[in-house]
Amino acid sequence: MFEIVDLQKIYRMGDVEVRALDGVTLDIAKGEFLGIMGASGSGKTTLLHMLGLLDEPSSGRIVIDGTDIAKLTDYERTMFRLYKLGYVFQDYALVPDLTVMENVSLPAMLRKDRDDEQIKRDSYHILQQIGLCDRRDHLPRELSGGQQQRVSIARAMVNKPDILFADEPCANLDSENSKMVLELFREINEEMKQTIVMVSHEDWHKDYFNRIVRLKDGKVVSDGFNGKAEKAG
Amino acid sequence: MGKKELKVAFLLALRSLQRGSRSSVVLTVLIIAMCFTNMVFLPGLFNGIGQSITTQVVDYEVGNVLVSPKSGDQYVTDLDATLDLINGMPGVERATPHLSKGATLKYRQRVLGVSVRAISPNDEKYVSPLYTKMVAGSYLGDGDTGEVIIGKPVAGDATIKEEDEFQPSLGGVRVGDSITIEYGNGYTKDYRVKGIYSTGWSSADNTVYVTMSDMELVEGKPLDYADYITVKAKPGYSEKFIKDELQQYGVSQKVQTTADLLSKVMGQALQSFAIINMVSLIVGIIITTVVLFIVITIKTLNSRRQIGILKAIGVDKEVIMHNYGFQVIIMAVMGIFFGVILTALIAVYLAANPIVTPEWSATLYLTPLDYITNSLILFLASVVAGYVPAYQVSREDIQSAMRA
Ligand SMILES: Nc1ncnc2c1ncn2[C@@H]1O[C@H](COP(=O)(O)OP(=O)(O)OP(=O)(O)O)[C@@H](O)[C@H]1O
Ligand SMILES: [Mg+2]
């Protein structure tokens, strides 16, 4: 469903040229839980932002379900993100003035194919799944970091996206909360067949992924399914 | 921009105002309310002053229509016939003559130069509320001779020493006292003070009124002339109508409406008022615009990353812009609302306790149109001030916004 061909991202700062991505070619299939790993500065976030239509590549092609992303207008890209993609960020990034319920409902409220009844049902359902239903009228600042991150996962999932992106979702959490969040991702992946692309540089996270792409200096240095090629790479 | 988008934008705006910084919302609303008050207060006060001067000029000086000597003449002549003619016309409540003479008043050691104005007391009642303004004694009757009524400032106050007086007076004349009046032509006579009045209109209060019969004795001949005739219109008849009618039916004297007279005198004053009004309007708009611009700019700068995230998860930039736009609209509406209430309260207070000076007493004179136009102007200024930074921040690209 995802096809990335020879993707490049070059940042120019004065005379210096930074090749954040240097010819990445990748396919992502439905139902995968893909981990992007690599050292700091290796280009993980840059790649994720390209895939998530949050940034435009310097060259190369991204095709999603047969749609060439380069041909979309700004508004079409926004709608593409709203209808097909979900995001979880390192710092949760919830709207501080909205309750848990309102935060989760927000992306659904903008969709033309959802009525109030369905939005309520979907939000309620996803909150039940992450186990924070009883906190639905609380504000984000009244929750712990781990709880906030779970709410942000619920917000990303409420529209049942084709693909879920997460950039170091556990970076601000202790190992206990990290485990909880990772378990949640695994559950979503296995039970709902949700495609997930997650960036991480914590080695122990790799147990949760079923495929791992390793980056170094903007290049893919290894790509394989967990427990097999990965070890060879 | 669909209904759903506007709904989400409104929800975001409402929640931000409800759950964000309360004090900043309250202060912003207060500033808008103050700017609104500032915009309508001075013009309203000036209008009030203008109204009060107009009323007093009508009441104590010229009535609705003034008939004065044609150019070259000293007096309106053929008085009785002219009065009969005017009084017979439709729409005329009453016409009444005034004849003033310069004189010197003497009372004990005090000497005071004033003008003595002769009136027909009963007819005057239809034209001027003077008879309702007696503070001591009583009003003149038509046949009275040897009696005067005098203004309170002329009568003075016995408890105030001469050198401490605000303006020279007779030093405490009371009803029943006798004062001596020496006219310009040498005629001198003692009068009994029948009453003392206070109108609040300075030129009327610095006058002494006698009857036309008394003035005949002074002039030494029957009075078939006057300085001018004041004409009061019946309710429902315009000044213009009376004026046209008088001119059409053979009143050969100069005929002017109060508006004619005031437009010359007040034109100058109104022009200065207009400049002050304009300045207070512009200052109000600028302060509101700048404050809202700063408030929204700070809000957007503080939430740049937040805005980047919202755009990332698929919230359209129009929704982001209207979110801040709605915040401004809500605060502007609340501010204007409080401004309207505040000015209405001030107007009620001033109606009960007018600002009084020797020349005029003023209340806030505000029409619904004043409220509506000022509200609209302020509202539009607020919307512009809010949407400019909202537009700018909503156009920022996701990458730079998220990195903020
Ligand atoms: N806006 C930018 N301007 C210039 N250089 C940039 C910009 N964004 C990223 N880079 C550079 O691109 C390279 C890749 O950055 P990226 O953020 O993708 O790394 P990362 O793998 O996510 O690192 P980390 O694990 O620290 O988050 C880095 O060398 C970085 O300095
Ligand atoms: Mg990163």
Side-chain angles (χ1 to χ4, degrees):
Chain A
M1 62 182 296
F2 248 82
E3 227 185 297
I4 300 132
V5 184
D6 198 20
L7 211 58
Q8 292 207 339
K9 181 68 181 182
I10 298 165
Y11 291 109
R12 279 199 183 77
M13 312 177 76
D15 291 341
V16 193
E17 207 176 65
V18 180
R19 291 177 170 268
L21 286 182
D22 195 5
V24 173
T25 300
L26 204 64
D27 280 349
I28 302 171
K30 245 189 179 57
E32 279 185 348
F33 189 174
L34 173 64
I36 300 176
M37 305 193 76
S40 183
S42 57
K44 305 183 294 293
T45 298
T46 309
L47 177 59
L48 197 81
H49 281 195
M50 298 298 149
L51 296 174
L53 312 195
L54 301 178
D55 201 359
E56 285 173 54
S58 307
S59 71
R61 237 156 40 98
I62 303 174
V63 180
I64 305 175
D65 283 337
T67 311
D68 187 346
I69 296 313
K71 294 203 172 78
L72 299 181
T73 64
D74 186 49
Y75 181 74
E76 284 169 334
R77 287 159 69 92
T78 303
M79 289 305 111
F80 202 96
R81 291 198 299 270
L82 178 65
Y83 283 78
K84 291 184 186 283
L85 310 178
Y87 304 84
V88 175
F89 300 95
Q90 179 179 328
D91 60 355
Y92 334 129
L94 298 169
V95 181
D97 301 324
L98 296 185
T99 63
V100 165
M101 186 72 176
E102 288 167 339
N103 261 294
V104 172
S105 307
L106 187 68
M109 286 162 69
L110 287 164
R111 286 182 62 143
K112 305 224 183 312
D113 52 358
R114 297 276 196 280
D115 58 35
D116 288 355
E117 197 49 47
Q118 189 182 357
I119 293 167
K120 218 181 207 166
R121 214 172 41 234
D122 287 353
S123 311
Y124 199 86
H125 183 248
I126 192 79
L127 279 174
Q128 227 160 16
Q129 208 163 350
I130 64 162
L132 285 173
C133 217
D134 54 332
R135 297 300 196 95
R136 63 183 177 277
D137 292 327
H138 286 233
L139 292 175
R141 56 174 166 270
E142 296 160 359
L143 303 182
S144 76
Q147 288 169 328
Q148 287 189 53
Q149 193 57 297
R150 276 147 65 199
V151 173
S152 119
I153 293 170
R155 173 177 71 179
M157 288 297 298
V158 73
N159 277 342
K160 302 195 176 66
D162 290 355
I163 187 162
L164 177 64
F165 296 102
D167 190 358
E168 310 216 20
C170 303
N172 290 0
L173 303 176
D174 58 26
S175 58
E176 188 130 348
N177 274 304
S178 295
K179 239 177 228 147
M180 200 153 165
V181 165
L182 287 165
E183 290 291 346
L184 185 59
F185 274 118
R186 175 143 72 189
E187 199 182 303
I188 293 170
N189 172 247
E190 284 173 0
E191 285 171 20
M192 303 167 76
K193 300 280 168 276
Q194 176 65 53
T195 314
I196 301 174
V197 176
M198 176 170 151
V199 167
S200 169
H201 63 248
E202 295 268 0
D203 221 40
W204 62 273
H205 291 175
K206 67 175 189 274
D207 298 340
Y208 292 86
F209 307 143
N210 57 32
R211 179 185 168 193
I212 293 167
V213 169
R214 281 191 185 273
L215 292 182
K216 192 176 178 219
D217 298 334
K219 290 190 173 74
V220 177
V221 290
S222 83
D223 179 358
F225 289 89
N226 210 357
K228 296 160 210 160
E230 163 63 14
K231 274 178 187 146
Chain B
M1 204 59 197
K3 238 178 88 186
K4 289 202 166 191
E5 282 89 345
L6 286 177
K7 215 174 112 182
V8 170
F10 188 76
L11 178 82
L12 287 172
L14 196 65
R15 293 291 182 259
S16 169
L17 293 180
Q18 283 174 325
R19 299 184 183 141
S21 161
R22 276 286 162 75
S23 53
S24 105
V25 174
V26 169
L27 287 179
T28 309
V29 168
L30 206 65
I31 286 172
I32 300 172
M34 282 328 199
C35 286
F36 182 85
T37 309
N38 177 59
M39 276 165 70
V40 300
F41 182 75
L42 277 183
L45 194 64
F46 290 149
N47 270 337
I49 295 171
Q51 289 283 321
S52 113
I53 291 177
T54 305
T55 316
Q56 288 176 312
V57 166
V58 168
D59 283 351
Y60 303 112
E61 302 290 346
V62 301
N64 296 121
V65 176
L66 184 72
V67 177
S68 47
K70 53 180 181 278
S71 62
D73 284 3
Q74 193 188 350
Y75 295 116
V76 174
T77 50
D78 207 7
L79 185 62
D80 289 337
T82 310
L83 282 175
D84 286 347
L85 175 67
I86 299 174
N87 276 324
M89 287 189 195
V92 172
E93 178 76 47
R94 195 59 58 103
T96 183
H98 285 182
L99 178 61
S100 295
K101 292 284 161 196
T104 306
L105 306 190
K106 291 180 185 153
Y107 175 73
R108 293 183 185 162
Q109 308 306 318
R110 303 290 186 100
V111 176
L112 189 63
V114 297
S115 102
V116 175
R117 187 182 286 182
I119 55 172
S120 302
N122 278 334
D123 283 347
E124 188 74 17
K125 280 188 187 178
Y126 293 94
V127 179
S128 162
L130 176 65
Y131 70 101
T132 63
K133 303 290 182 183
M134 306 307 298
V135 292
S138 54
Y139 185 63
L140 290 172
D142 269 355
D144 288 353
T145 51
E147 289 189 311
V148 293
I149 55 173
I150 66 177
K152 206 173 159 212
V154 174
D157 185 338
T159 62
I160 299 174
K161 277 188 281 181
E162 187 167 6
E163 55 269 32
D164 293 340
E165 279 182 336
F166 176 66
Q167 62 174 82
S169 77
L170 293 179
V173 172
R174 280 179 299 178
V175 174
D177 286 351
S178 174
I179 59 174
T180 308
I181 303 185
E182 187 183 329
Y183 291 90
N185 65 2
Y187 183 90
T188 305
K189 181 178 166 182
D190 288 347
Y191 290 85
R192 193 183 86 90
V193 174
K194 189 180 185 189
I196 298 172
Y197 59 86
S198 174
T199 62
W201 176 245
S202 147
S203 95
D205 284 347
N206 286 296
T207 300
V208 168
Y209 285 91
V210 298
T211 62
M212 286 298 260
S213 328
D214 245 331
M215 196 54 92
E216 289 193 338
L217 300 176
V218 176
E219 292 284 272
K221 55 189 171 190
L223 279 185
D224 198 24
Y225 54 89
D227 287 335
Y228 52 85
I229 297 170
T230 69
V231 182
K232 183 81 178 173
K234 275 185 179 154
Y237 287 87
S238 74
E239 297 181 346
K240 183 83 174 59
F241 172 84
I242 306 270
K243 173 186 170 181
D244 291 346
E245 174 178 66
L246 295 190
Q247 282 175 330
Q248 214 166 336
Y249 292 103
V251 172
S252 54
Q253 271 77 18
K254 192 154 92 186
V255 183
Q256 289 162 295
T257 64
T258 320
D260 292 340
L261 288 157
L262 287 179
S263 67
K264 292 192 195 90
V265 190
M266 300 265 284
Q268 207 83 34
L270 287 178
Q271 222 160 36
S272 342
F273 284 177
I275 292 170
I276 298 172
N277 291 351
M278 188 53 75
V279 169
S280 85
L281 179 78
I282 290 173
V283 167
I285 291 173
I286 289 177
I287 294 176
T288 308
T289 314
V290 169
V291 165
L292 283 173
F293 187 88
I294 291 173
V295 166
I296 293 302
T297 303
I298 289 174
K299 267 199 173 216
T300 54
L301 287 184
N302 280 339
S303 24
R304 268 178 75 201
R305 176 160 165 81
Q306 181 67 56
I307 291 164
I309 300 287
L310 285 177
K311 289 172 85 171
I313 66 171
V315 177
D316 188 40
K317 55 181 184 294
E318 301 288 314
V319 175
I320 309 274
M321 179 177 79
H322 287 297
N323 164 17
Y324 292 101
F326 281 140
Q327 293 190 35
V328 169
I329 288 174
I330 294 170
M331 289 192 289
V333 167
M334 294 202 316
I336 291 168
F337 179 74
F338 283 122
V340 168
I341 291 186
L342 199 63
T343 45
L345 287 178
I346 297 176
V348 168
Y349 175 80
L350 283 181
N353 312 279
I355 302 172
V356 181
T357 77
E359 282 77 32
W360 41 260
S361 75
T363 55
L364 263 198
Y365 184 79
L366 290 169
T367 62
L369 189 69
D370 293 329
Y371 278 115
I372 292 170
T373 45
N374 282 296
S375 301
L376 274 183
I377 291 171
L378 198 60
F379 182 76
L380 289 180
S382 313
V383 169
V384 171
Y387 266 97
V388 169
Y391 176 85
Q392 282 171 346
V393 78
S394 73
R395 305 292 130 158
E396 196 182 22
D397 88 292
I398 295 181
Q399 283 300 311
S400 32
M402 290 216 317
R403 251 173 252 282

